[in-house]
Amino acid sequence: MNNEEKILAILENLSEKIDHLENSQSEIKSDMAKLKTDVSGLKEDVSELQETVRRVAIIQENVVLPRLDSLADAQKNLRRILAPATKVSEMEDEISVIKHVVKSHSTRPAALEKAQ
């Protein structure tokens, strides 16, 4: 093989490598275009999510939190109005004593009537 043939072989090899690099470059460009499209779609998605989060925060601030405050106030009022459990227990004891007294008083007149 003489020098010219060697040079031609090297040139062919370089030409094949350049073709391969050009193909790789076009694939990379295609992939980059797809990535740009994906990134732009992601940016839109993030923008929509941010808008949704803003709306949810506004609804929470203007609707949910005031209603929770109203519920808390109502619960405080109920606790203030309702008798505590110890008072209820004392009242139950007193009522049972009163029931017993009423029962005994109602049986006495019946016994007296029988006696007459």
Side-chain angles (χ1 to χ4, degrees):
M1 191 178 237
N2 61 23
N3 286 338
E4 289 177 2
E5 289 173 351
K6 287 180 182 179
I7 290 173
L8 286 176
I10 291 172
L11 286 175
E12 283 179 25
N13 189 8
L14 284 175
S15 176
E16 288 173 5
K17 287 183 179 181
I18 288 173
D19 288 341
H20 179 69
L21 286 174
E22 286 175 349
N23 289 338
S24 296
Q25 185 180 13
S26 67
E27 288 175 11
I28 290 172
K29 284 181 181 179
S30 172
D31 291 345
M32 289 296 288
K34 289 178 187 176
L35 284 173
K36 284 181 182 179
T37 304
D38 291 347
V39 167
S40 108
L42 288 173
K43 284 181 181 178
E44 290 175 14
D45 291 346
V46 167
S47 172
E48 289 174 12
L49 284 173
Q50 287 174 335
E51 182 61 30
T52 302
V53 167
R54 273 189 223 107
R55 279 188 268 137
V56 167
I58 289 170
I59 290 170
Q60 180 181 2
E61 182 179 340
N62 294 328
V63 177
V64 175
L65 292 178
R67 288 182 183 175
L68 287 175
D69 291 340
S70 296
L71 285 173
D73 291 342
Q75 183 183 18
K76 286 177 188 174
N77 286 336
L78 285 173
R79 284 186 177 179
R80 184 178 48 82
I81 292 170
L82 294 176
T86 55
K87 271 192 173 181
V88 170
S89 176
E90 291 172 8
M91 293 171 107
E92 285 175 345
D93 292 342
E94 290 175 8
I95 289 172
S96 76
V97 169
I98 292 171
K99 280 183 179 179
H100 181 68
V101 169
V102 168
K103 193 175 190 179
S104 69
H105 280 28
S106 64
T107 57
R108 278 188 181 168
L112 287 174
E113 286 177 4
K114 286 182 183 179
Q116 288 178 353

